[in-house]
Amino acid sequence: MMIPGPLISWQMLLLMFVLPALGGVLAVVLVIHALQYRLRRVGTWRAFFSWKIRIACLFVAVMAVWVGFLGFKTLQFQREFTIAAWHRHSREQFVLDRDFQFGELRVPKGSLVNRRDVFDNGEPQRPLGLRGLDGVVFPQPLQVAGVWADALTVSPGRLRLSRDVRIQPVYHYDGDQRDWVADPARPFIDCKAGEDAWFHTPLIDYDIQAEFLTGEPDGAQARFKPSQWRITHCEPGDGPVPIKPAFAEPMPKGAQRAVFAPAQAAAQ
């Protein structure tokens, strides 16, 4: 079993901390020494700058340039990190500016979307999509999985009903079959507008190795199939749908607005 190397090597500690600190201390010593030399008036400045003092001044100058470079790179990294975070958040919480086909569901323009894409590292050129959908609030009621709803969340799976509805069949988990099956004791349930209809999402076979580096498909090829959802029960909604508002922080300089992939845009 290999033991991973240290995250911070002694060479890095030397360059990042020890040598700059030594340069700072040496600069203070040189200034104090120069003041004392000036006050004592023991000789000319040419005599003051012996070869040792010159080497020390050269070291201080090199360290000053090095510290300036480190400061510049630190500011550059912070700026790039801020821009990447802005890109990522702007693609996690947004309002659709067009209809978007996501699997079986055509999500209408004006929908408030919450999503999280684990493959999104804040790249400016990454196209907008619904991969990793967490939840959505529709601008008007939409028929999803056989019911009219104004919002849905994926985990946990629930639909906020916008109309009274009788749901059938109703599913429950059968321990003998180890599956979700139609509940013979409840052929149907009557649910009210404003209630949450909870559903189970069956697993869909896919090639995990093929998606390991690229992520699950998006757009019309997404594995989002409300026709396969199995509603288990309804219950009163416990307050507002837990969906965050659209990301509204000002765009930092150098950032870009997220746009849809050309293929998806052409399909609209």
Side-chain angles (χ1 to χ4, degrees):
M1 181 177 179
M2 295 183 63
I3 300 176
L7 295 178
I8 300 179
S9 64
W10 68 266
Q11 295 95 331
M12 183 178 294
L13 287 174
L14 183 68
L15 289 173
M16 298 289 289
F17 302 103
V18 176
L19 290 180
L22 182 60
V25 171
L26 187 56
V28 173
V29 171
L30 285 174
V31 170
I32 294 175
H33 182 52
L35 289 175
Q36 291 176 340
Y37 184 87
R38 175 64 177 174
L39 292 175
R40 290 198 302 266
R41 298 181 182 272
V42 294
T44 64
W45 284 113
R46 173 172 291 188
F48 172 78
F49 284 100
S50 64
W51 66 271
K52 293 182 179 179
I53 296 296
R54 291 179 183 179
I55 291 177
C57 289
L58 178 61
F59 177 79
V60 169
V62 171
M63 287 300 101
V65 173
W66 174 242
V67 169
F69 175 76
L70 290 179
F72 170 76
K73 297 301 290 185
T74 299
L75 292 176
Q76 186 181 48
F77 172 79
Q78 290 176 343
R79 178 175 175 273
E80 292 174 352
F81 179 83
T82 299
I83 292 175
W86 188 92
H87 282 140
R88 187 169 55 253
H89 290 312
S90 69
R91 294 190 288 253
E92 290 177 348
Q93 303 162 221
F94 62 93
V95 175
L96 275 175
D97 64 356
R98 67 190 71 194
D99 293 350
F100 190 93
Q101 190 70 39
F102 187 60
E104 293 180 348
L105 184 64
R106 191 168 184 83
V107 185
K109 175 182 177 180
S111 298
L112 172 61
V113 173
N114 278 193
R115 61 183 289 267
R116 186 173 296 276
D117 184 358
V118 297
F119 291 88
D120 190 344
N121 295 315
E123 308 94 320
Q125 73 280 6
R126 192 174 187 86
L128 191 62
L130 298 191
R131 176 192 291 127
L133 183 69
D134 284 333
V136 55
V137 176
F138 305 117
Q140 61 274 335
L142 188 70
Q143 195 166 26
V144 185
V147 302
W148 286 92
D150 51 33
L152 70 85
T153 57
V154 175
S155 182
R158 58 180 175 175
L159 293 155
R160 179 62 55 89
L161 300 175
S162 59
R163 301 181 186 178
D164 296 350
V165 63
R166 171 167 288 188
I167 297 175
Q168 57 182 5
V170 183
Y171 290 85
H172 76 141
Y173 185 76
D174 188 312
D176 294 331
Q177 300 186 41
R178 296 183 179 180
D179 195 8
W180 291 82
V181 299
D183 188 351
R186 294 182 302 161
F188 64 85
I189 52 174
D190 291 319
C191 302
K192 303 293 185 182
E195 290 186 335
D196 289 337
W198 291 73
F199 62 86
H200 166 73
T201 305
L203 294 177
I204 300 175
D205 292 334
Y206 64 97
D207 189 345
I208 189 172
Q209 292 183 344
E211 298 177 10
F212 182 74
L213 296 177
T214 60
E216 64 186 87
D218 200 359
Q221 290 74 41
R223 296 192 302 272
F224 193 78
K225 302 182 182 299
S227 63
Q228 298 182 10
W229 295 352
R230 300 170 180 178
I231 295 179
T232 61
H233 65 286
C234 292
E235 62 183 39
D238 55 353
V241 179
I243 294 180
K244 299 176 183 178
F247 183 69
E249 288 189 10
M251 182 171 59
K253 186 177 180 180
Q256 300 176 15
R257 294 286 182 187
V259 296
F260 289 94
Q264 179 63 40
Q268 309 302 324

